[in-house]
Amino acid sequence: MPLIRPSPGGSVPDALPDLSTYDGVLFDLDGVLTPTAEVHMHAWKTMFEELFTAWDITPPYTERDYFEYLDGKKRYDGVASLLRSRDVEVPWGDPSDPPTADTVCGIGNRKNVVFSGVLRSEGITAYPGSVRLLDALQAAGTPIAVVSSSKNATEVLQVAGLTDRFPVVMDGVIAERDHLSSKPAPDVFVEAARLLGVEPARAAAIEDAISGVMSAAAGGFGLVIGVDRGVGADELLKAGAHLVVTDLGELVP
């Protein structure tokens, strides 16, 4: 069952919203449209467990680290955030650093090697409920966009067969190029809305990460929907989601 945050007056809507009534709908990618969050989680776990062992870093890496420090953030910001949680500081480096470099960028690139290998070997299939919602919005003529912190977004969309659906894709590559702050800052969502030609207050944003929900809420989006893929509905509501579902198929009229 969806969880809905009451309005300031204390009332709760009687029905789920019709997203086709919004001027645009902006989707996070990993964990919202595709189960790539699981691939990211696996890649981060593999890479950080090896790194923590080699550097004798404690406490050991846990799944909670993914949700607290990595989920929804740009890759290098996530690396720096997690290492800082263990009182470890390394040079930032440069995005061109090889995966062997002991810099923030090198470590982030190391993780990406693992991720790309899994994606190429196993492929990825979009969530059926998410595809149904995309079909419904496209049939209604509602503009849609992808807002992802991942630099792999274009590859993931291609592998999942979703590339042609989105005229606007805001990803980690563009965010880095344009010096846009990582989620939970509102920059990437606000800029994606501008590229889509919609005002945030008249648009909906859909996210599964706490940092992503905070980003959309800070951007002033008229509707912020959380998708609970494991982080917890209560946490998403606290971060600013107006409602939380477990599958986007729940939002198909």
Side-chain angles (χ1 to χ4, degrees):
M1 291 291 291
L3 294 180
I4 303 176
R5 176 160 54 88
S7 68
S11 61
V12 174
D14 293 328
L16 292 175
D18 179 356
L19 294 186
S20 68
T21 64
Y22 287 80
D23 290 351
V25 181
L26 286 71
F27 294 82
D28 177 44
L29 177 59
D30 301 330
V32 170
L33 296 176
T34 60
T36 30
E38 298 171 13
V39 183
H40 281 292
M41 289 177 71
H42 173 68
W44 282 121
K45 181 175 185 291
T46 299
M47 191 275 296
F48 270 119
E49 284 184 344
E50 292 177 357
L51 184 72
F52 280 23
T53 298
W55 290 8
D56 196 24
I57 295 174
T58 57
Y61 179 86
T62 69
E63 184 177 286
R64 195 68 211 170
D65 285 321
Y66 173 80
F67 291 114
E68 290 190 9
Y69 303 111
L70 303 168
D71 191 19
K73 295 182 180 179
K74 289 191 289 186
R75 189 191 313 159
Y76 303 141
D77 288 343
V79 169
S81 179
L82 179 52
L83 290 179
R84 201 172 295 121
S85 76
R86 303 304 200 271
D87 296 321
V88 175
E89 296 283 347
V90 297
W92 187 270
D94 185 84
S96 63
D97 285 353
T100 53
D102 289 333
T103 62
V104 167
C105 293
I107 293 167
N109 295 343
R110 199 175 308 173
K111 171 263 178 181
N112 199 52
V113 171
V114 179
F115 175 86
S116 296
V118 175
L119 185 65
R120 285 193 301 268
S121 64
E122 299 182 8
I124 199 77
T125 301
Y127 292 110
S130 300
V131 173
R132 290 201 304 275
L133 179 58
L134 293 177
D135 288 342
L137 291 174
Q138 289 188 296
T142 305
I144 57 177
V146 164
V147 184
S148 172
S149 296
S150 175
K151 289 186 175 182
N152 304 102
T154 299
E155 183 181 9
V156 170
L157 288 169
Q158 182 177 11
V159 173
L162 298 175
T163 302
D164 294 340
R165 291 180 179 262
F166 296 99
V168 171
V169 176
M170 169 60 67
D171 64 4
V173 175
I174 296 173
E176 183 174 281
R177 182 196 71 194
D178 295 346
H179 306 290
L180 301 174
S181 295
S182 182
K183 302 172 185 177
D187 301 37
V188 287
F189 267 107
V190 172
E191 177 63 8
R194 186 189 71 79
L195 293 173
L196 196 61
V198 301
E199 291 294 327
R202 285 290 312 149
I206 306 178
E207 266 281 359
D208 72 313
I210 292 173
S211 62
V213 167
M214 293 173 67
S215 173
F221 280 76
L223 178 65
V224 180
I225 298 173
V227 185
D228 183 13
R229 304 288 192 193
V231 70
D234 289 340
E235 295 298 318
L236 293 169
L237 292 171
K238 281 187 213 173
H242 297 105
L243 68 96
V244 176
V245 297
T246 57
D247 187 271
L248 292 189
E250 299 170 44
L251 299 168
V252 179

